[in-house]
Amino acid sequence: MCELLGMSANVPTDIRFSFAGLARRGGETGPHADGWGISFYDGRTCRSFHEPEPSARSQLARLLRDMPIKSRIVVAHVRKANRGRVSLENTHPFSRELWGRRWTFAHNGQLKGVKRLPLGGFMPIGSTDSEHAFCWMLGRLQARFRALPRPETLDRAVADLAGELHALGVFNMLLTDSRTLYAHCGKRLCYLTRCAPFGKATLIDEDWQVDFAQETTEHDVVTVIATQALTRDECWTDLAHGDVLTLRDGAIRLLRPANLA
């Protein structure tokens, strides 16, 4: 299984603290040594970095940990390969353009028979089930909507597509259109929201503590999503199987796919 990390915030926010914990799980405190990637959003597009190497031993990952790139939406992934060889093209997160926006997707789990789902105008570059699922979702959205729909309309469409993939196996997903971050729990995902009054947090995988009261303002709202809790002294909330979170500016809305409602 792979591990996911996502962030949604109402102001550009530094994710180095959370990413440091995730990166250690990429081949040191965890077995996810088959590649890693991270995407930082800036408006409708993003900066993305990928390597088919363990993040725990990556000079590039170490550089990003030391570089205070601030973003309102971040998607990151460390990979433990089970389908698709270890290679750059099979390294998450994947991205495509739709409706003039950069979409980004990361997944862990297995989806039985997903490659039998017909694709529309989006084709995989690599050989993973995950990228096929992403291309299928975008093709279905493109066929249904001629232009970017209202956020609430898109929320429901994404939730229902996630529900269809949930029926094929384990579908833990992060997806963003640069406006909203979507998270679907197929087996394991958890989240926390940091807002005033801010406190201290300590990573589980590394000896690093941050006092967020010194790093934020009273108006900041930051929600972090991860496969497993990253800190030892904060209260993480587990999602139920089939839950879909939509996050805009750090604020959360919980949905259930139509086939699971």
Side-chain angles (χ1 to χ4, degrees):
M1 297 289 283
C2 308
E3 290 210 19
L4 303 172
L5 169 65
M7 183 192 75
S8 170
N10 67 341
V11 294
T13 299
D14 181 350
I15 200 174
R16 287 181 298 164
F17 178 69
S18 296
F19 178 66
L22 180 75
R24 289 288 298 276
R25 295 177 182 179
E28 190 166 324
T29 61
H32 316 94
D34 297 326
W36 65 275
I38 187 168
S39 295
F40 304 87
Y41 269 80
D42 184 355
R44 295 183 179 186
T45 192
C46 60
R47 301 181 182 95
S48 295
F49 303 87
H50 301 79
E51 276 190 318
E53 309 291 341
S55 56
R57 299 190 289 275
S58 166
Q59 292 185 359
L60 177 58
R62 192 174 302 114
L63 174 66
L64 291 175
R65 170 185 157 155
D66 295 335
M67 185 181 300
I69 298 175
K70 293 190 174 183
S71 177
R72 293 174 64 173
I73 295 178
V74 176
V75 175
H77 182 277
V78 289
R79 185 182 184 218
K80 175 65 175 173
N82 56 55
R83 295 186 181 178
R85 67 187 180 93
V86 177
S87 62
L88 184 60
E89 65 266 25
N90 286 334
T91 303
H92 306 226
F94 305 108
S95 66
R96 297 289 190 281
E97 181 277 328
L98 176 61
W99 302 317
R101 292 172 178 265
R102 177 62 61 181
W103 289 64
T104 295
F105 172 95
H107 163 248
N108 75 33
Q110 301 82 40
L111 299 171
K112 185 176 180 180
V114 70
K115 290 190 176 180
R116 290 195 292 270
L117 294 176
L119 298 177
F122 299 89
M123 294 291 126
I125 297 171
S127 57
T128 63
D129 291 356
S130 302
E131 191 180 14
H132 190 101
F134 177 40
C135 290
W136 175 80
M137 291 183 78
L138 291 188
R140 289 283 298 272
L141 291 171
Q142 185 182 54
R144 180 173 175 181
F145 304 110
R146 296 184 61 184
L148 181 71
R150 292 169 53 86
E152 295 77 10
T153 302
L154 185 58
D155 293 351
R156 173 47 58 193
V158 168
D160 290 345
L161 291 173
E164 291 187 50
L165 292 169
H166 179 82
L168 300 180
V170 178
F171 187 60
N172 299 305
M173 172 202 81
L174 295 177
L175 172 72
T176 182
D177 66 342
S178 79
R179 176 179 62 179
T180 305
L181 177 63
Y182 298 97
H184 176 271
C185 178
K187 184 176 183 180
R188 177 186 291 177
L189 274 181
C190 58
Y191 70 93
L192 64 80
T193 299
R194 296 185 180 119
C195 57
F198 291 94
K200 296 179 181 179
T202 308
L203 289 175
I204 293 171
D205 298 87
E206 182 164 327
D207 184 19
W208 187 359
Q209 184 181 80
V210 169
D211 183 357
F212 286 104
Q214 303 300 316
E215 305 290 335
T216 56
T217 74
E218 63 180 7
H219 305 294
D220 294 2
V221 179
V222 181
T223 295
V224 179
I225 302 171
T227 302
Q228 301 182 74
L230 293 165
T231 55
R232 66 177 77 256
D233 41 14
E234 295 180 289
C235 183
W236 291 77
T237 299
D238 291 325
L239 292 175
H241 294 184
D243 279 352
V244 177
L245 291 186
T246 67
L247 298 99
R248 283 189 281 276
D249 297 330
I252 292 174
R253 180 187 177 206
L254 178 63
L255 295 174
R256 295 284 286 177
N259 65 339
L260 297 176

